[in-house]
Amino acid sequence: MEQDIRIAVDIGGTFTDIEILDAGTGAIHQIKTPSTPKDPSVGLLTGIRQASERFGFPLEAVQYLLHGTTIATNAVLERKLPRGAVVTTAGFEDVMQIGRHGRKDVYAITLEQPEPLVARRFCFGVEERVGADGRIIAPLQEEGVRRIASELAETGVRSVAVCLLHAYANPTNERRVGEILSEMLPGVAISLASDISPEIREYERMSTTALNALLVPIVQSYTDRLAGRLAEEVPQTQVYLVQSNGGVSGLAKAGREPARLLLSGPSGGAAAARRLSVELGEPNLVAVDMGGTSFDVSVVHDGVVSMVNEGEVDGLPVRLPMIEMRTIGAGGGSIAWVDDGNRLRIGPHSAGADPGPACYGKGGTALTVTDANLLLGRLDGKSFMGGAMPLDREAARRAAEIVAAPLGLSVDRTAAGVIDVANSALAMAIRLSLFEKGLDPEDFAMLSFGGAGGVHACEVAEELGIRRVIFPAHASTLSAWGILWSDIAHDLSATQIGLFEDLAAGLGATASRLVAEAETLLAEDGVAPEARRFEWAVDLRYAGQAFDLRVPLEEADFSAAGVARASAAFHALHKQRFSYDEPEVPVEIVALRLKAVGALAKPVPARRAAGSAKPAAHARPVHGRGAAVDTPVWERDAIGTTDPVSGPAVVEEPYTSIYLPAGWNIVTHSAGALIADRITAQ
């Protein structure tokens, strides 16, 4: 029988994480390799070759490659975007510049708005008008579109976003504008708002469409390079890219709609959290992914991952369904520094993969969180990355001395301070992610993963009052592991504004149209009818409100009973989020949403046989809450399923380490995860 190898890849700012599934045997392997920021596909192919040699499979056996990438996010954050233009309804050319009056710092004297994606001189208006009800009030003046196309041809733009007023209600004029621009501007990427974000709120829709248009040349260039290299080295593979909604899409759609990739990498971790919530019987999980550059927080509540209809990247709204994620610049490579007030600060700047932390020995001189953990004994310089990448303790000490001097502290006190400041930042991000949903951290277990997370998780949990921390198998590559469980997913929506009860009778026809569109997309992906699944939701609000909440809808049921159930769920969710509800106020619908899922084959989870703990491998001095203490060091596989190991202890595996403080016990779950429980208050 031929081997069926499936590979999931999560390319981060510092490391590229790879999970390899042998579908025939069910075996899952992991490997990490340094990322190559100049061309991420180089690091990806390097990792696949290393995996082929280490785990003994031919490259020709790779059938599927599921790929999470930060290429779109990085292009936006660094503003390395091509020149683009916006075509909109005449009179609305200034929407990008006006934006929204969102004051995040209420005490700031001046309001700092994000730099518009498209300069005003590249925003053009065409004569046409569609009403909010979809009626064409003024026909499109096609000659005006042709004049704009001729002018754009002289400017060298590579992308055009077309966002006409109320095109979500009737896209006829917008589609015609797209046809003319495509005809007159060959080779220029054209994105239509009615395709990308067919919803109300003109600024958010225009921002999303402009982001998509500007990212098309970048992402298509990358996917073309990737496809070319894979065709040479891994010719049989089918490639999918991970989207912000936790599903995957083919390269063609990813190239057309790259704005859907903006949370590509982190969404794999959320998918893993949802899966582990079921396996471990933990319906409430706060999932924290601490890598080399960032710290990502997502929430599983009652077994469901939190989703939002709109996210934000670098202050810019993205009106697309995505997993709700909070990200801060606090990873293992985050740089420690002293501000003008002589306070120790961490991040958001990162040493990244090149040169990396000082202890990497690649020329970095700045003290990072990883350097501090090495100095405190929580990391072993000899066994880092499975021994393939030994760490330079003296280089870390020299970096710490630079920061310690202005603080008047010893190197050890400075390193401990770095960890304390980092832990406080991590705890604050988790608090905000839960408090804003009306949730209490004490009702949650923490799922800790990412290469840098294990040495911080228990202390952060203590600060939050969380009494259980879960360290999954393959913790350092869990986002890639989660991607292995992903399905093809397409999000479709239709704006429908009015009282829910009044519009319910006509929603069935809208739902049928969305299903037809979804069936076409899934058929293009080659998904068999029996593998297709549809998940419905509605955006609801109280009459008069300017914001809405996403509420699941069972089986697209628009009967009186179905509307009543959805409305009751909305009241309950509103009370949870905002501490009040108003059942006597009429409920309005804003949008009908459909997620079309094409199920891919899943790996079979392995179970851990029961057994007692084996002796610790050795011991070393580790700084905990005070001075260094001689601390036993355990191999992960030595932690048993029956008798827990008590802290203080260090648990090591090839690509990550766990620091277990005093007052905690740790044991292996039958699903392979390590479960740490707090047994005493410190």
PDB file of all heavy atoms in Angstrom, residues 328-352:
ATOM      1  N   ILE A 328      -0.644  40.037  21.659  1.00  0.00           N
ATOM      2  CA  ILE A 328       0.266  41.069  22.157  1.00  0.00           C
ATOM      3  C   ILE A 328       1.695  40.672  21.785  1.00  0.00           C
ATOM      4  O   ILE A 328       1.987  39.500  21.547  1.00  0.00           O
ATOM      5  CB  ILE A 328       0.149  41.284  23.686  1.00  0.00           C
ATOM      6  CG1 ILE A 328       0.551  40.012  24.453  1.00  0.00           C
ATOM      7  CG2 ILE A 328      -1.251  41.734  24.055  1.00  0.00           C
ATOM      8  CD1 ILE A 328       0.655  40.216  25.958  1.00  0.00           C
ATOM      9  N   GLY A 329       2.565  41.666  21.746  1.00  0.00           N
ATOM     10  CA  GLY A 329       3.963  41.410  21.414  1.00  0.00           C
ATOM     11  C   GLY A 329       4.742  40.943  22.627  1.00  0.00           C
ATOM     12  O   GLY A 329       5.505  41.708  23.220  1.00  0.00           O
ATOM     13  N   ALA A 330       4.521  39.705  23.020  1.00  0.00           N
ATOM     14  CA  ALA A 330       5.214  39.144  24.180  1.00  0.00           C
ATOM     15  C   ALA A 330       5.490  37.675  23.909  1.00  0.00           C
ATOM     16  O   ALA A 330       4.681  36.809  24.249  1.00  0.00           O
ATOM     17  CB  ALA A 330       4.377  39.315  25.450  1.00  0.00           C
ATOM     18  N   GLY A 331       6.614  37.389  23.299  1.00  0.00           N
ATOM     19  CA  GLY A 331       7.029  36.018  23.028  1.00  0.00           C
ATOM     20  C   GLY A 331       8.404  35.771  23.615  1.00  0.00           C
ATOM     21  O   GLY A 331       8.981  36.627  24.291  1.00  0.00           O
ATOM     22  N   GLY A 332       8.939  34.595  23.335  1.00  0.00           N
ATOM     23  CA  GLY A 332      10.257  34.273  23.852  1.00  0.00           C
ATOM     24  C   GLY A 332      11.332  35.222  23.350  1.00  0.00           C
ATOM     25  O   GLY A 332      12.331  35.469  24.033  1.00  0.00           O
ATOM     26  N   GLY A 333      11.138  35.774  22.142  1.00  0.00           N
ATOM     27  CA  GLY A 333      12.126  36.688  21.583  1.00  0.00           C
ATOM     28  C   GLY A 333      11.871  38.142  21.907  1.00  0.00           C
ATOM     29  O   GLY A 333      12.604  39.021  21.419  1.00  0.00           O
ATOM     30  N   SER A 334      10.845  38.461  22.719  1.00  0.00           N
ATOM     31  CA  SER A 334      10.542  39.852  23.062  1.00  0.00           C
ATOM     32  C   SER A 334      11.696  40.464  23.851  1.00  0.00           C
ATOM     33  O   SER A 334      12.252  39.845  24.768  1.00  0.00           O
ATOM     34  CB  SER A 334       9.250  39.937  23.873  1.00  0.00           C
ATOM     35  OG  SER A 334       8.158  39.534  23.072  1.00  0.00           O
ATOM     36  N   ILE A 335      12.038  41.687  23.500  1.00  0.00           N
ATOM     37  CA  ILE A 335      13.236  42.342  24.026  1.00  0.00           C
ATOM     38  C   ILE A 335      12.930  43.100  25.307  1.00  0.00           C
ATOM     39  O   ILE A 335      11.940  43.842  25.390  1.00  0.00           O
ATOM     40  CB  ILE A 335      13.828  43.287  22.967  1.00  0.00           C
ATOM     41  CG1 ILE A 335      14.334  42.459  21.767  1.00  0.00           C
ATOM     42  CG2 ILE A 335      14.942  44.152  23.533  1.00  0.00           C
ATOM     43  CD1 ILE A 335      14.758  43.303  20.586  1.00  0.00           C
ATOM     44  N   ALA A 336      13.776  42.930  26.329  1.00  0.00           N
ATOM     45  CA  ALA A 336      13.676  43.676  27.587  1.00  0.00           C
ATOM     46  C   ALA A 336      14.449  44.986  27.458  1.00  0.00           C
ATOM     47  O   ALA A 336      15.550  45.009  26.906  1.00  0.00           O
ATOM     48  CB  ALA A 336      14.231  42.840  28.737  1.00  0.00           C
ATOM     49  N   TRP A 337      13.877  46.067  27.988  1.00  0.00           N
ATOM     50  CA  TRP A 337      14.532  47.366  27.903  1.00  0.00           C
ATOM     51  C   TRP A 337      14.094  48.230  29.074  1.00  0.00           C
ATOM     52  O   TRP A 337      13.122  47.934  29.770  1.00  0.00           O
ATOM     53  CB  TRP A 337      14.218  48.054  26.573  1.00  0.00           C
ATOM     54  CG  TRP A 337      12.762  48.175  26.233  1.00  0.00           C
ATOM     55  CD1 TRP A 337      11.924  47.169  25.833  1.00  0.00           C
ATOM     56  CD2 TRP A 337      11.956  49.354  26.284  1.00  0.00           C
ATOM     57  NE1 TRP A 337      10.660  47.636  25.622  1.00  0.00           N
ATOM     58  CE2 TRP A 337      10.631  48.984  25.871  1.00  0.00           C
ATOM     59  CE3 TRP A 337      12.205  50.688  26.595  1.00  0.00           C
ATOM     60  CZ2 TRP A 337       9.591  49.900  25.813  1.00  0.00           C
ATOM     61  CZ3 TRP A 337      11.168  51.602  26.519  1.00  0.00           C
ATOM     62  CH2 TRP A 337       9.881  51.208  26.139  1.00  0.00           C
ATOM     63  N   VAL A 338      14.832  49.291  29.315  1.00  0.00           N
ATOM     64  CA  VAL A 338      14.555  50.204  30.426  1.00  0.00           C
ATOM     65  C   VAL A 338      14.112  51.535  29.842  1.00  0.00           C
ATOM     66  O   VAL A 338      14.812  52.120  29.012  1.00  0.00           O
ATOM     67  CB  VAL A 338      15.806  50.393  31.315  1.00  0.00           C
ATOM     68  CG1 VAL A 338      15.506  51.360  32.457  1.00  0.00           C
ATOM     69  CG2 VAL A 338      16.269  49.047  31.867  1.00  0.00           C
ATOM     70  N   ASP A 339      12.915  52.017  30.253  1.00  0.00           N
ATOM     71  CA  ASP A 339      12.386  53.257  29.675  1.00  0.00           C
ATOM     72  C   ASP A 339      12.949  54.486  30.398  1.00  0.00           C
ATOM     73  O   ASP A 339      13.768  54.368  31.326  1.00  0.00           O
ATOM     74  CB  ASP A 339      10.862  53.240  29.668  1.00  0.00           C
ATOM     75  CG  ASP A 339      10.248  53.285  31.068  1.00  0.00           C
ATOM     76  OD1 ASP A 339      10.973  53.552  32.051  1.00  0.00           O
ATOM     77  OD2 ASP A 339       9.029  53.058  31.184  1.00  0.00           O
ATOM     78  N   ASP A 340      12.491  55.667  29.994  1.00  0.00           N
ATOM     79  CA  ASP A 340      13.014  56.915  30.556  1.00  0.00           C
ATOM     80  C   ASP A 340      12.689  57.073  32.030  1.00  0.00           C
ATOM     81  O   ASP A 340      13.345  57.845  32.734  1.00  0.00           O
ATOM     82  CB  ASP A 340      12.459  58.114  29.774  1.00  0.00           C
ATOM     83  CG  ASP A 340      12.962  58.147  28.346  1.00  0.00           C
ATOM     84  OD1 ASP A 340      14.016  57.523  28.092  1.00  0.00           O
ATOM     85  OD2 ASP A 340      12.312  58.777  27.488  1.00  0.00           O
ATOM     86  N   GLY A 341      11.666  56.362  32.498  1.00  0.00           N
ATOM     87  CA  GLY A 341      11.319  56.410  33.916  1.00  0.00           C
ATOM     88  C   GLY A 341      12.026  55.343  34.722  1.00  0.00           C
ATOM     89  O   GLY A 341      11.669  55.093  35.874  1.00  0.00           O
ATOM     90  N   ASN A 342      13.036  54.700  34.129  1.00  0.00           N
ATOM     91  CA  ASN A 342      13.820  53.645  34.781  1.00  0.00           C
ATOM     92  C   ASN A 342      12.960  52.430  35.152  1.00  0.00           C
ATOM     93  O   ASN A 342      13.181  51.782  36.167  1.00  0.00           O
ATOM     94  CB  ASN A 342      14.544  54.175  36.024  1.00  0.00           C
ATOM     95  CG  ASN A 342      15.922  53.546  36.157  1.00  0.00           C
ATOM     96  OD1 ASN A 342      16.607  53.289  35.163  1.00  0.00           O
ATOM     97  ND2 ASN A 342      16.345  53.275  37.385  1.00  0.00           N
ATOM     98  N   ARG A 343      11.978  52.155  34.303  1.00  0.00           N
ATOM     99  CA  ARG A 343      11.132  50.978  34.496  1.00  0.00           C
ATOM    100  C   ARG A 343      11.528  49.895  33.504  1.00  0.00           C
ATOM    101  O   ARG A 343      11.837  50.185  32.348  1.00  0.00           O
ATOM    102  CB  ARG A 343       9.659  51.327  34.282  1.00  0.00           C
ATOM    103  CG  ARG A 343       9.083  52.314  35.265  1.00  0.00           C
ATOM    104  CD  ARG A 343       7.603  52.539  34.985  1.00  0.00           C
ATOM    105  NE  ARG A 343       7.395  53.014  33.626  1.00  0.00           N
ATOM    106  CZ  ARG A 343       6.207  53.108  33.044  1.00  0.00           C
ATOM    107  NH1 ARG A 343       5.125  52.720  33.699  1.00  0.00           N
ATOM    108  NH2 ARG A 343       6.088  53.568  31.818  1.00  0.00           N
ATOM    109  N   LEU A 344      11.500  48.672  33.967  1.00  0.00           N
ATOM    110  CA  LEU A 344      11.789  47.532  33.094  1.00  0.00           C
ATOM    111  C   LEU A 344      10.572  47.254  32.227  1.00  0.00           C
ATOM    112  O   LEU A 344       9.451  47.132  32.725  1.00  0.00           O
ATOM    113  CB  LEU A 344      12.128  46.301  33.938  1.00  0.00           C
ATOM    114  CG  LEU A 344      12.456  45.006  33.179  1.00  0.00           C
ATOM    115  CD1 LEU A 344      13.700  45.184  32.323  1.00  0.00           C
ATOM    116  CD2 LEU A 344      12.652  43.846  34.161  1.00  0.00           C
ATOM    117  N   ARG A 345      10.765  47.168  30.927  1.00  0.00           N
ATOM    118  CA  ARG A 345       9.679  46.928  29.980  1.00  0.00           C
ATOM    119  C   ARG A 345      10.031  45.714  29.115  1.00  0.00           C
ATOM    120  O   ARG A 345      11.209  45.408  28.906  1.00  0.00           O
ATOM    121  CB  ARG A 345       9.475  48.151  29.073  1.00  0.00           C
ATOM    122  CG  ARG A 345       9.268  49.472  29.823  1.00  0.00           C
ATOM    123  CD  ARG A 345       7.887  49.544  30.421  1.00  0.00           C
ATOM    124  NE  ARG A 345       6.883  49.617  29.368  1.00  0.00           N
ATOM    125  CZ  ARG A 345       6.522  50.752  28.768  1.00  0.00           C
ATOM    126  NH1 ARG A 345       7.104  51.900  29.089  1.00  0.00           N
ATOM    127  NH2 ARG A 345       5.588  50.733  27.842  1.00  0.00           N
ATOM    128  N   ILE A 346       8.979  45.069  28.581  1.00  0.00           N
ATOM    129  CA  ILE A 346       9.164  43.909  27.706  1.00  0.00           C
ATOM    130  C   ILE A 346       8.404  44.150  26.411  1.00  0.00           C
ATOM    131  O   ILE A 346       7.211  44.443  26.418  1.00  0.00           O
ATOM    132  CB  ILE A 346       8.640  42.609  28.354  1.00  0.00           C
ATOM    133  CG1 ILE A 346       9.252  42.391  29.733  1.00  0.00           C
ATOM    134  CG2 ILE A 346       8.908  41.413  27.441  1.00  0.00           C
ATOM    135  CD1 ILE A 346      10.742  42.167  29.715  1.00  0.00           C
ATOM    136  N   GLY A 347       9.094  43.998  25.264  1.00  0.00           N
ATOM    137  CA  GLY A 347       8.460  44.112  23.949  1.00  0.00           C
ATOM    138  C   GLY A 347       7.932  45.515  23.699  1.00  0.00           C
ATOM    139  O   GLY A 347       8.234  46.451  24.446  1.00  0.00           O
ATOM    140  N   PRO A 348       7.128  45.706  22.656  1.00  0.00           N
ATOM    141  CA  PRO A 348       6.649  44.671  21.720  1.00  0.00           C
ATOM    142  C   PRO A 348       7.683  44.247  20.682  1.00  0.00           C
ATOM    143  O   PRO A 348       7.433  43.344  19.898  1.00  0.00           O
ATOM    144  CB  PRO A 348       5.459  45.354  21.039  1.00  0.00           C
ATOM    145  CG  PRO A 348       5.817  46.796  21.039  1.00  0.00           C
ATOM    146  CD  PRO A 348       6.578  47.027  22.317  1.00  0.00           C
ATOM    147  N   HIS A 349       8.847  44.936  20.665  1.00  0.00           N
ATOM    148  CA  HIS A 349       9.869  44.582  19.683  1.00  0.00           C
ATOM    149  C   HIS A 349      10.437  43.198  19.999  1.00  0.00           C
ATOM    150  O   HIS A 349      10.610  42.823  21.158  1.00  0.00           O
ATOM    151  CB  HIS A 349      10.989  45.621  19.680  1.00  0.00           C
ATOM    152  CG  HIS A 349      10.489  47.018  19.429  1.00  0.00           C
ATOM    153  ND1 HIS A 349       9.916  47.397  18.246  1.00  0.00           N
ATOM    154  CD2 HIS A 349      10.460  48.117  20.229  1.00  0.00           C
ATOM    155  CE1 HIS A 349       9.564  48.661  18.311  1.00  0.00           C
ATOM    156  NE2 HIS A 349       9.879  49.126  19.501  1.00  0.00           N
ATOM    157  N   SER A 350      10.735  42.462  18.943  1.00  0.00           N
ATOM    158  CA  SER A 350      11.219  41.091  19.098  1.00  0.00           C
ATOM    159  C   SER A 350      12.539  40.912  18.356  1.00  0.00           C
ATOM    160  O   SER A 350      12.770  41.538  17.315  1.00  0.00           O
ATOM    161  CB  SER A 350      10.183  40.100  18.554  1.00  0.00           C
ATOM    162  OG  SER A 350      10.702  38.790  18.524  1.00  0.00           O
ATOM    163  N   ALA A 351      13.370  40.036  18.900  1.00  0.00           N
ATOM    164  CA  ALA A 351      14.623  39.691  18.226  1.00  0.00           C
ATOM    165  C   ALA A 351      14.375  38.781  17.034  1.00  0.00           C
ATOM    166  O   ALA A 351      15.264  38.592  16.197  1.00  0.00           O
ATOM    167  CB  ALA A 351      15.579  39.010  19.218  1.00  0.00           C
ATOM    168  N   GLY A 352      13.156  38.197  16.944  1.00  0.00           N
ATOM    169  CA  GLY A 352      12.790  37.379  15.791  1.00  0.00           C
ATOM    170  C   GLY A 352      13.677  36.155  15.625  1.00  0.00           C
ATOM    171  O   GLY A 352      14.262  35.639  16.572  1.00  0.00           O
TER     172      GLY A 352
END
